Amino acid sequence: MIFASDLDQTLLYGKRFLTDEMQSFQVVEVLEGEPISHMSDRAIQLLHEVHQQSLFIPVTTRTIEQYQRILIFQNELLPRYAITSNGGNVIRDGRIDEQWSRQVHSRMVNECAPFPDMLAGFAQISNDSWVIRERMAEDLFFYSIIDREKMPVDELRDFERWVTQQNWSMSIQGRKLYLVPQAVNKRDATLYVCELEQDEQLIAAGDSLLDLPLLEAAQLAIVPPHGEIYQIRNHGGAVGNFHFTQASGISAAEEILQTVLSWYHQLVKAT
């Protein structure tokens, strides 16, 4: 069984999700001396159990450098595979899988509008009043730090329709607006690993639209009650292969991981 999970706001949570009543937790990422990502002690314990019972794959929009800041995956729990850059890179036994990288870049060229066209389109609606910074990520996708309160909602809605026609995707997560070629996605990268491992039993977890293709490909998709997916799907309970957690914030990770373990034990009994 494979468990492929998004990280930020699925398993890892920033300080804005912490409260004075919060149970014990650990800092799992530090940037410039500041703690920026956390997991509860219980979630870390459950993640170790999941890692022992299944093939756990971190699947993140983070670049390789950003992923490597997560201490737990560098020192304590070492996944055999990690998928970074929204599926643009597969890390296998600590090395970039070059075969996968060649496939991704070939599809970007043949299937998706070129970067200059997308940047020119975005430039028509972006300005300093709401776009704070712009970044290119490993020549795989583009993102901006934005002021959500000032962003032009109607113009962005029209722009998103145009983006989709160019075989790109747009997603807004917190203060970041992502523009990603559809050839760069978490689903295809995860299915590539499933094929390498010859394992078709896939559980996935995530909270944003960039996670949606992966979740739709899984036998069980677990979604915390925040983020874009929860807003566009029915709230609570189960819809098709989607299971929405009752717990929110940092506690959602515990419920996600407990659900994975329960699913695993059911599979073991069935066989």
Side-chain angles (χ1 to χ4, degrees), residues 8 78 147 209 216 231 253:
D8 296 289
L78 303 176
D147 184 334
L209 287 180
E216 290 176 336
Q231 294 172 12

Side-chain angles (χ1 to χ4, degrees), residues 29 61-70 143 176:
E29 180 185 12
T61 305
R62 289 170 176 248
T63 63
I64 294 174
E65 180 183 0
Q66 292 167 338
Y67 169 74
Q68 290 174 339
R69 294 199 307 247
I70 303 172
Y143 69 94
K176 291 183 179 179

